Amino acid sequence: MDKAIKKCIEEMSLEDKARQLSQVNAVIVRAETKAEITGKDEGMDLCEADTREVGSVLNFNGAADAIAVQDEYLSKSEGKIPLIFMQDVVHGFRTVFPVPLALGCSFDPSLAEACAEVSAVEAKYNGVQVTFSPMVDLVRDPRWGRVMESTGEDAYLNGEMGKAFVRGYHKGGILCCVKHFAAYGAAEAGKEYNTTDVSERNLKEYYLPAYRACVEEGADMVMSSFNLLNGVPVNGHKDLLVDTLRKEWGFDGVLISDYAAVKEMIRHGYLETLKECAETAINNQVDMEMMSSSYIHYLPELVGEGRVKEGRIDESLRRVLELKQKAGLFENKYGETDAKRAEEVCLCPEHRALARRAAARTCVLLKNNGVLPLSAEQNIALAGPYAAEKNILGGWACWGRPEEAVSVYDGVRAALGREVVCAAGCGGKLLDKDESGIPAAVAAVKGCAVAVVCVGEPSECSGEATSRADLRIPAPQASLVRAVSEAGCKVVAVVFGGRPQVLTEIEPYCDAILYAWQPGTEGGNAVADLLFGREEPVGRLAMSFPRATGQCPIYYNCFNTGRPRVPDSIENVSFISSYRDTLNAPLYPFGYGLGYTEWELSAPRLSSPVIGQGGKTKVSAKLKNTGSRAGETLVQLYIRDRFASVVRPVRELKAFRRASLPAGGETEVCFELTEEMLRFYTASGKYESEAGRFDVMLGFSSENVQTCELILEK
Ligand code: BGC
């Protein structure tokens, strides 16, 4: 242990130690009276004077506020240990990037890294020392609004993207906290804060690897989640927090609870008193309690009663002080906070340029019957409630301001250098019912060759506490798409949303569908770049798009069952794993997305069709751009272990690679497939491979692959 930290711990009273292990909203630290806080942070039992001396704050208002809070705090604090400032910098700070699920669709970790770096630069000058990101919860159910914060349904992709975020934040100069540990994304029925029940094998194989990847990449903190996991709230889960995170993974950074999650163990029905909450959480090595006061109120007493060892508290304290040291707070109590630099970097042209590029590379073209790309000479009109909407920033827009964002209307006018017709037709809210504006909108766009109809869900309807039970495009917006199509215009739907929505009803009326997600500050420019072919759509889905909400949860790496429906149809379904009213397949599968050129990929070949333990083979295929434009595509490598002691999914993504080729260009794409990549948790509980046959698949999506066979020998 660092000498200075050791000395500091030795000199601190138990009460001071408990305070260092607590985090509250900055508003609480500054408030002189209880009345100032009540209402702002409803339900907080943190209003007494003694709960305002803490180790850390979250949610504050930029550089000047951070400096004021620190100064005021230190002038009153006896311990004189600076506060550490944390905030949810999730997809940008003032310059807002596409939501993480969209970044997942880039299948491009270097892009995520660049966005995280820029976010960190803007954040650090504004007083942030730690971001509560990356969020790497595996997500399979788009009813859950927080799918937008994750990079999707595949553990491998989430791990690669999560690591990229960690690297980016560090490069940009802030520390980071991976969340929400663990399996919060498995909330039953996609309902927010709901129960999760995940088998140990499932946890190890699908839910835990991405958090582990981030920890191994150097994530400085981990956040324990809200959910009940297999009967125990996460903060009560010794197996998870101590045995797995600390002992098995060797994580020695700060573990922080999610917002008031320590005290929520009472409402879960797990513990009866706040004192028991403190005892359980600290003994499970939750180092810092966010927004509840059980540590402040009870840790000293618990030590006195011998229920918590002082050494346990000192260990947590060491981690918190080391975090502050890492953030440079002992040399400079403000860290890198600098209002002038903040002003200079926020929304600077380079940051905006990256936001535009990121947004263009994360939109996914789902359908195109040839209408796209558009030409500037065409008679184009805009319609739909999202055409002129500037709040396309997404659920964790942080300091992003809608008025600084570029709408599709702004972007298209800038691209064309002229005015265009733009008619909303209806409201964009989820529960809007009013269709009375549709005839006027149709009249306004009628006669134009192409109508770009912008529909979807509002920014505030994805993210925390935004579950939906019906994922269809709201009725007035669907009616608008249909009416515009029936009026004789070609329809290009640009769909906004933080989650996969059900597009089944609008799809027949669309000549093209571009899924724009919540693309951030430069969204409208990026959409225009794609519509007019200045950029090619290169995004590929990181989450399956259901054709009906009732298919959820839905994910590509599912099991075959004993009665698979092959081929997928709605006839002959008796006693087969299927639905009577729809297909099994999603409307658009994981890995899917179109570009502006055509591709051909030959069947994969293996350099050695038989490998042994520790062995490897080269998987290769010829890729040809058969279209008339230069382009970029994503080749995906999947495997299937045909027979195993524990049944394996029909496909598992193992690697992906981008390729750019001129029209007519040809190249060989190569992947290395190692025996290690064939490992899983076998019936004996070991992580190992089993000899036998494997399908090796290369293709352009999880449902568009060609296969060859690999034999693994003992
Ligand atoms: C969310 C976390 C977030 C925290 C602090 C919680 O409600 O679940 O994701 O980091 O608040 O804002």
Side-chain angles (χ1 to χ4, degrees), residues 490-504:
K490 284 200 183 296
V491 171
V492 175
V494 176
V495 186
F496 291 86
R499 54 154 66 80
Q501 292 164 88
V502 169
L503 306 178
T504 312

Side-chain angles (χ1 to χ4, degrees), residues 527-547:
V527 166
D529 289 341
L530 292 167
L531 292 178
F532 296 104
R534 275 199 236 133
E535 293 268 2
E536 196 198 3
V538 294
R540 302 292 183 261
L541 295 180
M543 249 191 118
S544 307
F545 270 51
R547 54 182 76 233

Side-chain angles (χ1 to χ4, degrees), residues 88-92 100 131-133 148-149 165 169 179 396 398:
D88 294 276
V89 183
V90 175
H91 52 105
T131 174
F132 295 125
S133 168
M148 148 255 159
E149 295 172 51
F165 276 101
Y169 291 133
K179 68 189 187 186
W396 282 113
C398 210

Side-chain angles (χ1 to χ4, degrees), residues 344-364:
E344 284 161 12
V345 298
C346 279
L347 276 181
C348 67
E350 297 78 41
H351 293 186
R352 272 195 178 267
L354 178 64
R356 182 167 180 163
R357 185 165 161 266
R361 292 184 68 81
T362 52
C363 292
V364 184

Side-chain angles (χ1 to χ4, degrees), residues 425-447:
C426 60
K429 297 229 163 67
L430 275 191
L431 302 179
D432 276 348
K433 295 276 180 282
D434 186 3
E435 304 204 351
S436 61
I438 294 179
V442 172
V445 303
K446 203 171 167 136

Side-chain angles (χ1 to χ4, degrees), residues 23 58-59 87-88 90 132-133 135 146 149 179-180 184 192-193 223 226 257-259 290 396 464:
Q23 179 181 69
L58 79 162
N59 299 344
Q87 193 144 8
D88 294 276
V90 175
F132 295 125
S133 168
M135 185 280 217
R146 301 195 83 165
E149 295 172 51
K179 68 189 187 186
H180 307 87
Y184 181 33
E192 181 63 306
Y193 311 124
M223 185 187 292
F226 290 125
S257 75
D258 204 345
Y259 209 101
M290 184 198 293
W396 282 113
E464 189 171 352

Side-chain angles (χ1 to χ4, degrees), residues 153-165:
E153 73 191 40
D154 184 73
Y156 168 67
L157 179 63
N158 286 352
E160 292 304 296
M161 298 306 275
K163 288 191 292 186
F165 276 101

